[in-house]
Amino acid sequence: MSDALKGLHFPHELDPVRAAQVGLIVLQSDETIETDFRQLMPPELELLISRIPSGAEVTPDTLAAMEGYMTASAALFPQGADLAAVGYGCTSGTAQIGAAQVAARIRKAIDVPQVTEPVSALIAACRSLGVRRLAMLSPYLPEVSERLREVLAAAEIDTPVFGSFEIEEEARVVRISASSIVEAGAALIAQAPVPVDALFLSCTNLRALPAIDALEAATGMPVLASNSVLAWHLARLAGQQARGPGRLLRASPPPLRAAE
């Protein structure tokens, strides 16, 4: 090869400063969480995304099927990345598969210090805020919602007040308007037969972020959402602080570097 074809060879240095990195496994059907995380995650963190195959409908069977893809999805993060933590972005999927199994499947592919998902993140957020009784609003079918409530009950978080849009198709869940979420959440609290400590808006594909401040103003209590608690916990596990709407993100204790 001639010198003209080789071109010029330049020396280079590697940047000694490396930003902290976290990974997020996003459902194929989820159109919401990436936009939310761009708002919620601090600029000090680099967010890397992988996708996982998921069903167009939310049923126990489609949720459980994601377990078989979890390791392969985690393996798609860049090999040169140094991830402080990885999050799996599915609330109902975690309830169906199990938080411990989610972490085990991810760690089969990558050596990551911390793994979280919306269920573990919600439990950690409730403990941080002193919440023991939740009102829960979900888009799910009854059998999907019931499994999540059972998992929360095992963590000593009761959900005595519950409501749902009862939608099966992910493509419809993502189109539920913020005004519908605010109206349903406010009505759920207003009609609650027993007192609760906070309201939880479940589902990473639900566009709940714009409803949080309005619902906190209407109800006078903390309002948590799948994406807000997951971003909060993932950032804390990497030693950083998420930002965004809601009492959780405005008044959090110092970030962590170890699992809660």
Side-chain angles (χ1 to χ4, degrees), residues 123-143:
I123 293 167
C126 286
R127 289 173 179 164
S128 177
L129 294 171
V131 169
R132 297 293 297 273
R133 293 162 68 89
L134 276 177
M136 189 173 92
L137 177 65
S138 93
Y140 313 129
L141 297 179
E143 58 269 29

Side-chain angles (χ1 to χ4, degrees), residues 174-216:
V174 71
R175 305 289 172 239
I176 298 172
S177 68
S179 60
S180 295
I181 297 169
V182 171
E183 183 177 346
L188 191 65
I189 298 301
Q191 299 171 27
V194 296
V196 293
D197 304 316
L199 170 64
F200 176 53
L201 309 174
S202 188
C203 186
T204 61
N205 205 17
L206 187 69
R207 293 188 170 169
L209 230 55
I212 290 176
D213 282 340
L215 278 169
E216 287 199 339

Side-chain angles (χ1 to χ4, degrees), residues 10-54:
F10 295 102
H12 68 277
E13 297 179 351
L14 298 180
D15 192 338
V17 179
R18 184 169 189 168
Q21 296 176 315
V22 293
L24 181 64
I25 297 176
V26 177
L27 272 58
Q28 178 183 357
S29 57
D30 196 319
E31 302 178 45
T32 300
I33 193 170
E34 287 169 285
T35 299
D36 283 359
F37 265 56
R38 281 192 285 271
Q39 176 181 339
L40 295 167
M41 297 300 283
E44 295 83 6
L45 280 179
E46 288 184 355
L47 178 66
L48 304 180
I49 302 291
S50 183
R51 288 266 175 177
I52 187 168
S54 62

Side-chain angles (χ1 to χ4, degrees), residues 33-213:
I33 193 170
E34 287 169 285
T35 299
D36 283 359
F37 265 56
R38 281 192 285 271
Q39 176 181 339
L40 295 167
M41 297 300 283
E44 295 83 6
L45 280 179
E46 288 184 355
L47 178 66
L48 304 180
I49 302 291
S50 183
R51 288 266 175 177
I52 187 168
S54 62
E57 298 176 343
V58 183
T59 69
D61 288 343
T62 61
L63 294 169
M66 278 188 281
E67 181 179 357
Y69 300 105
M70 194 84 59
T71 300
S73 294
L76 292 176
F77 287 115
Q79 292 185 1
D82 184 16
L83 299 172
V86 168
Y88 165 55
C90 187
T91 317
S92 54
T94 301
Q96 193 70 36
I97 297 167
Q101 189 66 4
V102 167
R105 289 285 185 176
I106 289 171
R107 287 191 170 115
K108 282 188 175 181
I110 51 175
D111 182 16
V112 62
Q114 307 292 344
V115 176
T116 187
E117 16 61 31
V119 176
S120 295
L122 175 62
I123 293 167
C126 286
R127 289 173 179 164
S128 177
L129 294 171
V131 169
R132 297 293 297 273
R133 293 162 68 89
L134 276 177
M136 189 173 92
L137 177 65
S138 93
Y140 313 129
L141 297 179
E143 58 269 29
V144 175
S145 298
E146 185 57 28
R147 177 59 186 157
L148 176 57
R149 296 176 73 189
E150 291 171 355
V151 170
L152 293 175
E156 299 184 343
I157 298 172
D158 293 329
T159 54
V161 179
F162 170 71
S164 177
F165 296 107
E166 295 192 10
I167 296 174
E168 187 175 41
E169 302 87 355
E170 288 276 24
R172 290 188 62 193
V173 169
V174 71
R175 305 289 172 239
I176 298 172
S177 68
S179 60
S180 295
I181 297 169
V182 171
E183 183 177 346
L188 191 65
I189 298 301
Q191 299 171 27
V194 296
V196 293
D197 304 316
L199 170 64
F200 176 53
L201 309 174
S202 188
C203 186
T204 61
N205 205 17
L206 187 69
R207 293 188 170 169
L209 230 55
I212 290 176
D213 282 340

